[in-house]
Amino acid sequence: MRKKTIEDYVELIFILQNKDEKVHTNNVANALDINPASVTEIFQKLSEEGYIDYKKYTGVTLTHKGKKIAISTKKKHDTLKNFLMILGINKKTADIDACKIEHIVNSETMERLTKFVEFVQQFKDGTIWLDHFKHFYDTGEYVKRNHGNSKKDLVSSKQK
Amino acid sequence: MRKKTIEDYVELIFILQNKDEKVHTNNVANALDINPASVTEIFQKLSEEGYIDYKKYTGVTLTHKGKKIAISTKKKHDTLKNFLMILGINKKTADIDACKIEHIVNSETMERLTKFVEFVQQFKDGTIWLDHFKHFYDTGEYVKRNHGNSKKDLVSSKQK
DNA sequence: ATAAATTTTTAGGTTTACCTAAATAATAAT
DNA sequence: ATTATTATTTAGGTAAACCTAAAAATTTAT
């Protein structure tokens, strides 16, 4: 797997923290498929940098700083995932890609994507174009609606 | 900067190759802002793995395999950039983000995005929704067109 | 054609994110 | 309460992508 970022670790600790009580090296090691010994090192580093409270053998909790990062990362993740799913990408793939993109994408881009998801979700009746896109994706044809007439008009992508 | 992938190197060599005649350690070192000595190592590695033809001191050229990777990466890059620009992200940011996303995105996702860009580009008259989105991005309001009537109807995002 | 300047390579670091194996601490079972 | 089991940490690797400084090759200037 790809090299993990601080955001990855913190986000994961956040998720685990909201399930179980305490987060231990073993949980994290399993989730990230790395060695528990490596998680100890990661805990030390995250602790030094103020993202978690860590004392030997006791399991860790996020600090305020850590929680802030975790929440913003998770929000980015959800937005990206929703965004990809709006375009028709399946849930699992959307999740995988969101997980990678969330760490690298520019905040300006993120803002646009967030607004886009809002736009689609808030104005459901203004999104016939999405059905058109999906139809185009499947068939290569563009569905043109004649307004005031429920019949559909198929226009091949070739003839435009 | 982020750790560079083989794709980064190969794509860059491709771009340089299409400008100058030969690609030298120095060009690459400058472009990637790393030490020429490191580029020698990279050349050795890329050569071993069959992406470039490399002989000491002579500059390098892409092999068929290398060119294939380069072209597909560049295509991904252009698609991603166009895609982001369609959503209204500025050229420079779109370029930066495309450069990062191109290396990590799933091929299924890439396919969707490609189709999406095609969809928008081929059916320009079916993309009023994009103007609506941009208006929404700027103002938080949704522009509803009354068909058969050129007047616009503003619907605030609140009241939906 | 030789000296000077430049480019490229070599050799030997450093850092970072992992690893394994063994030691130590904590927990569960009798 | 000891013992056995499990979890965690320590100590000491490895590999990869960088680095610097110095050596070697190439190019340019005279």
Side-chain angles (χ1 to χ4, degrees), chain A residues 9 34-35 37-38 41 45 57:
Chain A
Y9 302 132
I34 59 178
N35 198 286
S38 306
E41 286 166 33
K45 190 183 152 200
Y57 297 100

Side-chain angles (χ1 to χ4, degrees), chain B residues 2-130:
Chain B
R2 167 186 56 97
K3 185 200 134 200
K4 288 126 200 164
T5 65
I6 284 181
E7 284 188 355
D8 279 308
Y9 303 133
V10 170
E11 191 184 5
L12 176 64
I13 291 168
F14 182 71
I15 291 166
L16 294 175
Q17 196 178 256
N18 291 349
K19 277 194 217 160
D20 316 299
E21 286 295 290
K22 282 267 175 158
V23 178
H24 292 274
T25 48
N26 248 3
N27 317 341
V28 175
N30 286 337
L32 295 176
D33 199 34
I34 59 178
N35 198 287
S38 307
V39 178
T40 301
E41 285 166 34
I42 290 163
F43 280 178
Q44 281 161 357
K45 190 183 152 200
L46 291 178
S47 169
E48 268 166 35
E49 295 179 15
Y51 296 107
I52 59 173
D53 286 318
Y54 167 63
K55 266 179 202 114
K56 286 188 194 175
Y57 297 99
T58 44
V60 297
T61 46
L62 289 176
T63 61
H64 178 68
K65 180 179 170 187
K67 214 171 286 171
K68 236 178 79 182
I69 297 278
I71 288 168
S72 101
T73 306
K74 196 173 178 328
K75 216 169 91 188
K76 275 197 266 179
H77 180 95
D78 293 341
T79 300
L80 283 164
K81 186 175 171 185
N82 282 331
F83 176 76
L84 294 173
M85 284 168 68
I86 285 170
L87 294 184
I89 289 152
N90 82 68
K91 208 170 175 169
K92 204 162 183 176
T93 307
D95 201 63
I96 291 168
D97 279 359
C99 201
K100 298 182 212 153
I101 299 173
E102 68 193 21
H103 304 299
I104 56 174
V105 81
N106 198 290
S107 67
E108 186 197 333
T109 302
M110 206 55 235
E111 226 173 84
R112 282 273 164 185
L113 298 183
T114 304
K115 282 280 177 186
F116 184 82
V117 172
E118 274 177 37
F119 175 71
V120 171
Q121 286 174 347
Q122 281 186 38
F123 308 111
K124 288 248 164 58
D125 40 339
T127 53
I128 316 152
W129 63 269
L130 251 178

Side-chain angles (χ1 to χ4, degrees), chain A residues 50-63:
Chain A
Y51 296 108
I52 59 173
D53 287 318
Y54 168 61
K55 268 180 201 115
K56 285 188 194 176
Y57 297 100
T58 45
V60 299
T61 46
L62 289 175
T63 60

